[in-house]
């Protein structure tokens, strides 16, 4: 839900308050977020070392096009090279002299690895914020020539939570492609560090140095892992993402080995469940209704666990809205109280409660390698609603009629009041929501913004 509010309008106030000197962690990570979202493609040089059940040096390159979603990973571990590629048409893997156009479960595995890496490399700060919502505020900022350096300063508990969450996400993927599964409940985070170097002029990330350590349980045995990786970034220089060559014979052979792909009857059943999950998720997030999350969820056998997931989605939605709202106001944010944030989020939910939606269709897409659920939504123009309040306040502030504190108070009061008033619903719009299957009756929406930004539209 990275864009659930109109940050461009809110940031116009922050720009009025900009001053010379060292930016805060919150200000700088906000600038980085905007800069990284404008990147079209990236090439990342990767170096590092892994220590655990086996030790090895890691070198390689990763390439991603953020519009086409094409991705390429070339990894060399102690001299052994592995190449993986995925776009909307095909998924390829090259190990040594063997080159394959992968299908079935292996395709899901490769696709998930590339998608996860693409999310990380588009903005590592936003990526790790999944595990610590306050992460943008938790960096020490230093200055070095033409660079800013962000050093994560979270406490021990937060470091352990971040590394455990990241490790679980990784093993959730690799468990699909391995005969030896890691017990996700036994993944324990130990330590984590993150240093991000920012170009002063462009606000783009130049380099990331990440250290992490954790333990896992494999077949009843505890294994420790320590890793250090350095990423160095080059932006918007790719004509095309590198695509490995696949021998025709290997491609033909792999095409015949798609027996693991679910048959049409199962695909249709899974697609129906994916539609049910999106229906449930919208209830938990947009409408804050966990009872309906449970009622609409495809898993009706373990309602206690489903209820817990619904409560998590419900609270996370509000937390992210409040974090994004406060972060968008940048240097104004120190004047905002928790009570004011609660007032705005409560009013925002009131506006959302008047919106409407219908699940229209759900089907598996070979091109996207995901279940695509079509949702018809009648939302409202959030940008217009916010502009009604913010435009006159900006004029008063520029004229010197408001102090910072007065600006915040009038802004909060005005936005909350406007959200509680009737909002005009826009014509119905149908949007695709991409869903992946994580196990029996267990699904995940890859990007909640796919539906959220139609409930609260930003233009």
């Amino acid at each position: 839900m990275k864009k659930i509010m109109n940050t461009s309008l809110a940031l116009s106030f922050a720009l009025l308050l900009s001053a010379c000197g060292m930016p805060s962690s919150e200000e700088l990570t906000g600038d980085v977020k905007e800069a990284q979202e404008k990147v079209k493609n990236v090439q990342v040089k990767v170096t590092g070392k892994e220590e655990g059940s086996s030790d090895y040096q890691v070198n390689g390159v990763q390439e991603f096009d953020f519009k086409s979603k094409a991705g390429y990973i070339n990894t060399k571990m102690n001299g052994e090279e592995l190449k993986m590629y995925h776009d909307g048409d095909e998924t390829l893997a090259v190990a040594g002299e063997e080159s394959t156009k992968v299908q079935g479960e292996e395709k899901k595995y490769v696709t998930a690895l590339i998608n996860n890496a693409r999310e990380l490399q588009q903005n590592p700060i936003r990526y790790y914020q999944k595990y610590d919502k306050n992460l943008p505020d938790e960096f020490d900022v230093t200055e070095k020539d033409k660079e800013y350096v962000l050093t994560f300063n979270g406490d021990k508990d937060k470091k352990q939570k971040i590394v455990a969450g990241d490790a679980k996400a990784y093993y959730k993927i690799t468990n699909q492609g391995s005969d030896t599964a890691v017990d996700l409940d036994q993944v324990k985070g130990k330590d984590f560090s993150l240093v991000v170097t920012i170009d002063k002029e462009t606000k783009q990330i130049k380099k990331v140095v990440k250290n992490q350590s954790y333990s896992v349980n494999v077949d009843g045995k505890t294994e420790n892992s320590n890793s250090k990786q350095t990423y160095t970034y080059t932006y918007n220089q790719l004509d095309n993402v590198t695509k490995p060559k696949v021998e025709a014979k290997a491609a033909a052979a792999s095409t015949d080995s798609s027996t693991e792909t679910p048959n049409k009857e199962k695909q249709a059943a899974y697609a129906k469940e994916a539609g049910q999950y999106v229906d449930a998720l919208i209830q938990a997030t947009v409408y804050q209704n966990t009872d309906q999350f449970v009622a609409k969820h495809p898993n009706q056998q373990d309602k206690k666990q489903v209820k817990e997931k619904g409560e998590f989605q419900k609270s996370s939605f509000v937390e992210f809205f409040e974090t994004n709202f406060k972060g968008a106001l940048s240097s104004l944010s120190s004047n905002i109280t928790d009570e004011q944030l609660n007032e705005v989020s409560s009013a925002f939910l009131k506006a959302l409660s008047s919106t409407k939606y219908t699940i229209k269709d759900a089907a598996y897409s070979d091109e996207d390698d995901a279940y695509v659920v079509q949702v018809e939504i009648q939302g409202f123009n959030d940008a217009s609603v916010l502009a009604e309040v913010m435009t006159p306040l900006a004029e008063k502030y520029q004229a010197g009629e408001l102090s910072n504190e007065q600006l915040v108070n009038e802004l909060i009061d005005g936005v909350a009041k406007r959200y509680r008033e009737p909002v005009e619903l826009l014509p119905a719009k149908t949007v695709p929501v991409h869903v992946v299957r994580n196990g029996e009756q267990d699904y995940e929406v890859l990007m909640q913004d796919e539906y959220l930004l139609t409930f609260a539209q930003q233009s």
Side-chain angles (χ1 to χ4, degrees), residues 156-170:
K156 181 179 179 180
D157 288 342
K158 289 187 175 182
K159 290 178 179 180
Q160 291 179 344
K161 182 179 179 181
I162 290 172
V163 71
D166 189 38
K168 287 179 182 179
Y170 172 75

Side-chain angles (χ1 to χ4, degrees), residues 205-221:
I205 296 173
K206 294 179 64 176
K207 186 172 74 171
V208 168
V209 179
K210 176 191 69 171
N211 292 274
Q212 62 182 37
S213 61
Y214 57 88
S215 65
V216 297
N217 188 289
V218 183
D219 295 334
K221 181 182 178 181

Side-chain angles (χ1 to χ4, degrees), residues 82-94:
L82 172 65
K83 300 176 183 177
M84 295 184 290
Y85 173 87
H86 174 72
D87 62 18
D89 297 319
E90 55 189 335
T91 304
L92 312 173
V94 180

